[in-house]
Amino acid sequence: MRLRQIAVVGAALGLLCVPAHAEERDISRDTLPPNDGWASAAGGTTGGAAADDAHVHTVTDRAGLVRALDGGSDTPKIIKIAGTIDANTDDDGDRLDCADYATDGYSLKKYLAAYDPRTWGPAKPSGPQEEARQASAAKQAERIVLPVGSNTTIVGLGKKAVLKGAGLQVKNANNVIIRNLDLRDAYDCFPVWQPNTGGLGDWKTAYDNLWLRGATHVWVDHVTLSDKGHPDAKEPTHYARNYLRHDGLLDITNGSDLVTVSWSRFADHDKAILIGNGDTATGDRGKLRVTLHHNEFESIVQRAPRVRFGQVHLYNNRYVVPDDAHDYRYSVGVSTESAVYAENNAFTTPGHIEVADLVKSWNGTALHQSGTLFNGYPVDLLAIYNAYNSGSERDLTADVGWRPTLHTKIDNAATADREVARGAGAGRTP
């Protein structure tokens, strides 16, 4: 008897008939809807929707995921991740830690002794310990950097699909969809010391949770990205600098183009999203077209996003800075030749953060903004930024040279704030 017939009979008998398990909708062959941001342009984004049954995989461990990725091949494929997959595991599924990757006599204690700025000076590290660090880093990279090829869909099954410790890399690939997945803790065991960074030197890490490098037509949707498990704030200081273990959550660089990031959550991290990786990368002109909509940025210090060259549509996003955040720097970074069109975004911050703090400019010239909500009140973000930063940073004009036409319904910022709080992130696909 069909479910509807059962329900009718049950109602007639005064009974409530509810199926024991409501099966979740299979999203693995979904394609990006028309007009949903830049990734819908020029033929749209379909990922692995055309995959035959032989290339539909459900994976539960790193080994299975690596086989399904097929070395980043262009073969149409659908990969469903079930449960938690840890990239820091060997071929038998046994857990690997940093000591397992260390080789050629590397140790952090020896590294710190060798390159102490008080004795080593401002030169870049070189010699046996730096060579050992590089060899150790290469061993880890072999395990955790996972290439994603063209015509691929990766989806998490259910509400608790997790890929931890991995750096997913979409390099020179086209037509990729990543949805409903918790990407966490791309942890670098072997950061390198860079003596002159920021004048004081700093630690540089290697991995992003997700890196789009020369990638085109990419849709990232209902993904959660964070450092969960190993927050940098709990790492020690060496050479008077925080011993960072994480780089970006999502980097879109090296001529990547036609990207939509929607309904995703970026949390508890320093540098969230970098779009364009260099002021001199003039080959990025005309590319780096990215839409960011209905995303939540919570406890993010900076780069939400930072943009060079790209035409970026930033609308209906939710920004939350916690009360105890004393390292907050900015949210929207306007850099060389960037053209950010920001509409109806909502910001909630503690009292020590002002409207002008939300934007930071490095050689930027323009920012369109409208409908901005700050702690519940409408504000003219551009006018306030220019007034407060006059003399210290160049004033920004409102003309970014383009107007978005590819987008879903744009709600007012207050409505978007509520909807994103309820719906953004992994495990919340409609």
Side-chain angles (χ1 to χ4, degrees):
M1 189 180 293
R2 294 180 179 178
L3 183 61
R4 184 176 180 181
Q5 292 174 313
I6 295 172
V8 171
V9 173
L13 296 175
L15 301 174
L16 178 62
C17 295
V18 179
H21 175 69
E23 186 175 346
E24 296 192 15
R25 184 174 71 86
D26 183 1
I27 65 171
S28 64
R29 292 192 186 271
D30 285 2
T31 61
L32 178 66
N35 299 313
D36 193 346
W38 275 117
S40 66
T45 301
T46 60
D52 58 28
D53 289 345
H55 291 94
V56 178
H57 312 274
T58 298
V59 299
T60 59
D61 57 19
R62 179 193 174 279
L65 177 58
V66 169
R67 286 193 297 270
L69 287 168
D70 191 27
S73 76
D74 293 344
T75 304
K77 64 186 76 67
I78 294 172
I79 302 171
K80 304 178 184 182
I81 292 180
T84 296
I85 293 178
D86 188 346
N88 286 292
T89 51
D90 64 19
D91 292 340
D92 295 325
D94 294 328
R95 169 74 181 165
L96 299 172
D97 61 23
C98 293
D100 294 307
Y101 297 122
T103 189
D104 295 351
Y106 173 86
S107 79
L108 178 58
K109 183 177 180 180
K110 291 178 181 178
Y111 190 91
L112 293 173
Y115 307 114
D116 189 324
R118 294 171 296 181
T119 54
W120 178 261
K124 291 183 178 180
S126 62
Q129 272 300 301
E130 171 57 15
E131 292 167 5
R133 186 205 64 79
Q134 293 179 22
S136 302
K139 284 186 65 176
Q140 186 185 19
E142 288 178 2
R143 304 305 299 177
I144 73 170
V145 176
L146 303 177
V148 180
S150 298
N151 309 313
T152 298
T153 291
I154 301 175
V155 298
L157 293 180
K159 298 184 180 301
K160 295 182 178 181
V162 177
L163 176 58
K164 68 178 183 178
L168 278 183
Q169 188 171 129
V170 186
K171 182 178 179 181
N172 300 327
N174 175 66
N175 194 30
V176 172
I177 294 174
I178 301 173
R179 302 184 72 199
N180 193 41
L181 187 60
D182 185 336
L183 293 172
R184 65 174 69 159
D185 192 23
Y187 187 85
D188 188 348
C189 287
F190 307 102
V192 61
W193 174 245
Q194 294 187 325
N196 294 318
T197 300
L200 299 174
D202 210 348
W203 294 99
K204 173 65 176 175
T205 56
Y207 309 115
D208 307 309
N209 291 32
L210 178 59
W211 186 11
L212 311 184
R213 184 178 182 184
T216 54
H217 282 110
V218 179
W219 180 28
V220 178
D221 177 68
H222 283 92
V223 171
T224 296
L225 302 101
S226 74
D227 300 339
K228 189 173 183 179
H230 291 98
D232 280 337
K234 293 188 177 181
E235 295 291 336
T237 58
H238 296 305
Y239 307 154
R241 304 291 280 176
N242 185 215
Y243 190 54
L244 299 174
R245 300 294 193 144
H246 304 90
D247 192 10
L249 293 178
L250 167 62
D251 277 11
I252 304 171
T253 66
N254 298 82
S256 291
D257 198 20
L258 303 178
V259 177
T260 297
V261 182
S262 57
W263 293 99
S264 292
R265 185 168 187 268
F266 300 81
D268 305 314
H269 187 81
D270 183 358
K271 301 169 183 176
I273 302 177
L274 180 65
I275 301 176
N277 59 326
D279 292 342
T280 60
T282 55
D284 286 343
R285 287 175 178 148
K287 301 177 181 178
L288 298 175
R289 291 173 291 180
V290 178
T291 300
L292 300 169
H293 74 82
H294 294 92
N295 302 294
E296 180 175 64
F297 298 92
E298 183 173 359
S299 299
I300 295 298
V301 176
Q302 58 185 316
R303 297 186 183 178
R306 179 178 176 178
V307 183
R308 296 179 177 93
F309 295 104
Q311 292 182 343
V312 175
H313 192 195
L314 187 69
Y315 75 89
N316 279 176
N317 298 286
R318 179 176 194 260
Y319 295 80
V320 179
V321 183
D323 290 340
D324 60 353
H326 299 291
D327 56 352
Y328 174 82
R329 295 187 60 188
Y330 68 92
S331 292
V332 181
V334 181
S335 299
T336 302
E337 297 186 33
S338 63
V340 177
Y341 201 102
E343 298 182 272
N344 298 18
N345 299 292
F347 298 82
T348 301
T349 75
H352 66 278
I353 295 174
E354 300 181 0
V355 175
D357 297 326
L358 304 180
V359 175
K360 178 71 176 174
S361 174
W362 298 263
N363 301 318
T365 60
L367 170 67
H368 171 93
Q369 76 80 42
S370 59
T372 303
L373 204 64
F374 180 76
N375 288 334
Y377 293 93
V379 296
D380 187 330
L381 178 58
L382 182 61
I384 294 173
Y385 169 82
N386 284 337
Y388 273 69
N389 289 284
S390 181
S392 61
E393 296 179 10
R394 178 191 305 178
D395 281 0
L396 302 174
T397 70
D399 184 6
V400 295
W402 73 292
R403 184 183 182 88
T405 58
L406 296 170
H407 55 78
T408 58
K409 180 176 181 289
I410 301 178
D411 292 315
N412 65 62
T415 298
D417 192 39
R418 293 190 298 269
E419 292 298 317
V420 171
R422 287 194 292 261
R428 294 178 171 182
T429 51

